[in-house]
Amino acid sequence: KKLNIINHLKLEKYLKSVVGSEMPKEFPLAALQSQAIAARTYALKLVDKNKLFDLHSTQASQVYLGLESETAKINRAVQSTNSLALFYQNELIDAVFHSSSGGRTENSGQVWKYQLPYLRSVIDYDQNSNKYEWTNKFGSAELEDMFSDLGKLNGIQIINKSNTGRVLKLRLYGTNGNKFISGKNLRKKLQLLSTKFEIDLKFNQIHLDNKTVEDFVSQSLPPIPTDYFLLVKGYGAGHGVGMSQWGAKSMAERGAGFRKILKYYYTGVQIKTY
């Protein structure tokens, strides 16, 4: 009793929408060309003749919004890079990308299971990103609803961070007990832009930060006021691995071509026709 609608289209036509759906249309041509090659590579890697369809139209694969995302500039970016893809030792790479890393991209092994030789951490040039720094605030009622198994949240402590400052593991302290949670799961639960963040839990006049919370929690806790809140200060948007779109924009504005941009964010790759 359901319809599964599958859109069949040529790869180059598909890319004209994906580039405009994934990257702001006003970005410089070299950044859009870099996005076109990364998106082409990503799509080619997922094409499988044995599946009902190759790609989702959402972030589950790459965002595809159809004709509305096409512009003359984007079409030029796709056409001028026609058939070019990214390879490492003659194999198509997993050309992941993200919006903004918050100052430094991440090693793939810190975010996912495997460390790939071409997905290594590099300094990012995303300081002009509109998501370079952000702040989220969560009230006590929201937090108690999200972590109902813990009761009231008495404290939160970052246990482990990656080399680039992404939160890998946290400990939550509640009136009903304590528990560990990964940075990725907390990001999902609180709908944060990235896992690169710092936390402050504020209790009325009592101020707890990452350094003092454990000492505080180990002591006998005073009654928790009902109006406590969690302040999350974060950096960047996305998983932080591979090409940074805002970094690509900045490099393009400084005169870098798409080859230089791609070889910077994907270590040791070749750019050639597939």
Side-chain angles (χ1 to χ4, degrees), residues 63-77:
V63 180
Y64 171 83
L65 298 173
L67 284 169
E68 66 186 72
S69 296
E70 291 188 28
T71 67
K73 189 177 179 184
I74 283 163
N75 290 352
R76 189 178 153 208

Side-chain angles (χ1 to χ4, degrees), residues 42-62:
Y42 191 86
L44 285 167
K45 187 94 169 158
L46 290 176
V47 169
D48 182 351
K49 301 289 186 287
N50 299 316
K51 289 189 296 189
L52 193 60
F53 64 92
D54 297 303
L55 296 143
H56 294 273
S57 61
T58 64
Q59 283 182 329
S61 297
Q62 300 185 112

Side-chain angles (χ1 to χ4, degrees), residues 182-200:
S182 71
K184 271 194 268 192
N185 283 345
L186 189 73
R187 178 192 172 188
K188 194 174 176 182
K189 213 168 181 66
L190 301 184
Q191 296 185 308
L192 304 174
L193 287 173
S194 76
T195 57
K196 194 170 187 175
F197 57 78
E198 296 154 6
I199 46 174
D200 267 345

